[in-house]
Amino acid sequence: MVRGTTGREGPMEPTEGEQAPVAAREEGPGRGVGRRSVAKSAALTAALLLAGGGIAQARPARRPDAKPAAGGDLTLRLPAPTGPHRIGNTTLHLVDRSRRDPWQPEIPVRELMVTILYPAGAAGDAPPAPQMTREAAARFPLIDAVMHPELPGTGVNWAATLTHAQRGAAAQTVRRPVLLYTPGGGDPRTLGTGLAEELAGHGCVVVTIDHPGDASEVDFPEAATGRDKVRETVFRGDPRMNPQQFRTAIDTRVADVRYVLDQLELTAAGRNPDASGRPLPAGLGRALDLRRIGVYGHSAGGTTAAQALYEDRRLRAAVNLEGYLDHPPERPGGEGELFPVARYGVDRPMLMLQTDGFPHRAELERSWAAVLAHPHGRTRRGQFGATAHGVFTDYAAFAPQLQAAGLMTAEERIKLVGASGPDRSIPLVRRAVRSFFARQLSAP
């Protein structure tokens, strides 16, 4: 057990040239669309809509005032990374045979899908990789638009969005800091692509992790015992409304992160952890500096990042993007149990970032204050103004495009990502996360 302490560091700085919608605070002591496909997704949608206290309220699949996208469904664009490096990426299927799947007992192992983004060498002939596979993109509007009711159910070609990374490109054989990303509850790893590319373009190896059964949809190389090729979420409502489900989710996520760390060690030693034996990009293992590993996550992923930092000393720093550090209360009006990271503190750097538009700031405050109450620690917090919870994801770029196309109202955009435009909010989030890890992982 790590029993560290936390404290405070200097205030956050705005991106150069910004009017800084950031209010920094210091606080211290004081099978494709196949066998079960559309029918299963429709059943899931109905279940989510009917779930009491769930993630979303019922709404039409498409807004009555939505304008059809010119020339067909809208193609959304990710913001370009600003770093000097070309980016490569590769996807791995990892199988932990020491664990059964916690969500579906008929699956005898714990499987993960991860994407690794890294500084690449000379450009090849391959086109940019898509953000989502076609099979995942086919499920996305059936599931995610219910979990996030601001999203349109139709009108977007989710399979058409391209990344800025070349699949399978050779890695630069320079030892690089390694960052793990764990997404929000019910979200796929692909919704963190923009920030991951920014970090990779500035010289990090970034590993984005799907948590199957939790993530909205996860596309595997093939079907397996107990599941289809594309596995959908088991959530039927907000997991914080179900204390046991939330506990299982975070425990599973932390174990997933630690297993990915084990597989990165194998990769750095020259082995290939991919369960299908697909070749790794040339030089990838030599690019991993496992003396400099950080973790960041959004919402439930922020909870995961903080608790993983507490549990695993291979992690040197963490960023929690608006994630609770306590369990939900067992009964209405009660207080939930603090996670150990909040109860005992942690002795390595952690940055906690929040938005002024998060409707559950009061519930968040108790556990965040507990972390900051530990003296002599290295935890800091900051708040972004004119923003909301989804600003830490690719929705920061997508929501304004959806609004411009008539597929999202201004009110829905503000609810999802806040009023701040992407020209401000995206650089601010990028700089805060990038500069934190640059400071904390600069030396071996």
Side-chain angles (χ1 to χ4, degrees), residues 40-94:
K40 182 178 178 182
S41 294
L44 170 62
T45 298
L48 285 168
L49 293 173
L50 293 171
I55 295 172
Q57 300 299 318
R59 63 163 178 82
R62 183 171 180 141
R63 285 154 190 69
D65 59 346
K67 302 172 186 175
D73 287 346
L74 178 67
T75 295
L76 297 169
R77 298 185 182 278
L78 289 163
T82 65
H85 301 287
R86 294 188 180 93
I87 303 169
N89 78 6
T90 191
T91 300
L92 302 182
H93 175 206
L94 305 178

Side-chain angles (χ1 to χ4, degrees), residues 170-256:
Q172 297 178 18
T173 54
V174 177
R175 295 289 183 186
R176 304 285 186 181
V178 177
L179 301 176
L180 277 61
Y181 170 69
T182 170
D187 283 344
R189 72 190 190 277
T190 49
L191 283 180
T193 298
L195 181 53
E197 289 192 330
E198 174 72 1
L199 295 166
H202 281 270
C204 294
V205 176
V206 185
V207 184
T208 65
I209 306 171
D210 261 337
H211 302 283
D214 172 335
S216 51
E217 61 283 320
V218 182
D219 188 6
F220 289 94
E222 58 188 6
T225 301
R227 62 158 178 82
D228 290 337
K229 184 178 183 296
V230 179
R231 182 176 174 187
E232 298 177 358
T233 183
V234 302
F235 291 168
R236 297 298 184 266
D238 182 349
R240 279 194 68 87
M241 301 300 292
N242 182 329
Q244 184 54 52
Q245 189 177 64
F246 187 78
R247 185 180 297 271
T248 298
I250 303 303
D251 288 350
T252 301
R253 285 164 161 262
V254 172
D256 290 346

Side-chain angles (χ1 to χ4, degrees), residues 6-20:
T6 62
R8 59 187 178 186
E9 295 183 2
M12 293 170 54
E13 298 177 358
T15 301
E16 192 171 324
E18 292 284 350
Q19 287 298 314

Side-chain angles (χ1 to χ4, degrees), residues 58-379:
R59 63 163 178 82
R62 183 171 180 141
R63 285 154 190 69
D65 59 346
K67 302 172 186 175
D73 287 346
L74 178 67
T75 295
L76 297 169
R77 298 185 182 278
L78 289 163
T82 65
H85 301 287
R86 294 188 180 93
I87 303 169
N89 78 6
T90 191
T91 300
L92 302 182
H93 175 206
L94 305 178
V95 179
D96 183 355
R97 302 186 185 281
S98 71
R99 290 187 290 158
R100 295 188 70 88
D101 189 86
W103 303 112
Q104 294 179 229
E106 63 270 26
I107 302 177
V109 295
R110 178 61 179 165
E111 299 176 280
L112 304 176
M113 292 299 295
V114 306
T115 295
I116 305 179
L117 301 94
Y118 51 89
D125 298 329
Q131 182 184 22
M132 302 181 194
T133 67
R134 289 195 173 277
E135 290 160 307
R139 307 296 177 88
F140 189 85
L142 300 173
I143 303 172
D144 293 71
V146 176
M147 301 175 96
H148 300 283
E150 301 84 9
L151 297 176
T154 60
V156 180
N157 184 352
W158 294 102
T161 300
L162 298 178
T163 70
H164 300 89
Q166 188 179 74
R167 180 173 294 156
Q172 297 178 18
T173 54
V174 177
R175 295 289 183 186
R176 304 285 186 181
V178 177
L179 301 176
L180 277 61
Y181 170 69
T182 170
D187 283 344
R189 72 190 190 277
T190 49
L191 283 180
T193 298
L195 181 53
E197 289 192 330
E198 174 72 1
L199 295 166
H202 281 270
C204 294
V205 176
V206 185
V207 184
T208 65
I209 306 171
D210 261 337
H211 302 283
D214 172 335
S216 51
E217 61 283 320
V218 182
D219 188 6
F220 289 94
E222 58 188 6
T225 301
R227 62 158 178 82
D228 290 337
K229 184 178 183 296
V230 179
R231 182 176 174 187
E232 298 177 358
T233 183
V234 302
F235 291 168
R236 297 298 184 266
D238 182 349
R240 279 194 68 87
M241 301 300 292
N242 182 329
Q244 184 54 52
Q245 189 177 64
F246 187 78
R247 185 180 297 271
T248 298
I250 303 303
D251 288 350
T252 301
R253 285 164 161 262
V254 172
D256 290 346
V257 167
R258 302 188 71 177
Y259 178 71
V260 170
L261 288 172
D262 296 341
Q263 304 314 294
L264 292 176
E265 291 176 346
L266 294 178
T267 305
R271 296 173 61 183
N272 182 357
D274 185 76
S276 303
R278 296 170 297 182
L280 298 178
L284 181 60
R286 287 176 287 168
L288 304 174
D289 187 348
L290 300 186
R291 299 168 299 174
R292 296 185 289 166
I293 310 177
V295 60
Y296 68 103
H298 172 237
S299 197
T303 310
T304 305
Q307 186 57 28
L309 181 71
Y310 174 86
E311 293 190 22
D312 199 314
R313 298 202 67 85
R314 291 175 291 184
L315 297 168
R316 286 182 47 180
V319 176
N320 172 3
L321 303 172
E322 211 156 55
Y324 295 95
L325 297 180
D326 61 354
H327 293 279
E330 295 290 338
R331 57 185 181 278
E335 290 188 342
E337 176 190 2
L338 292 173
F339 279 96
V341 65
R343 193 160 65 245
Y344 303 117
V346 67
D347 60 357
R348 279 148 291 146
M350 181 164 64
L351 174 63
M352 303 191 299
L353 295 174
Q354 65 185 125
T355 65
D356 65 344
F358 185 47
H360 306 293
R361 282 177 294 159
E363 296 95 315
L364 195 74
E365 185 60 31
R366 171 178 170 262
S367 63
W368 281 31
V371 175
L372 291 157
H374 295 281
H376 314 302
R378 302 174 63 188
T379 296

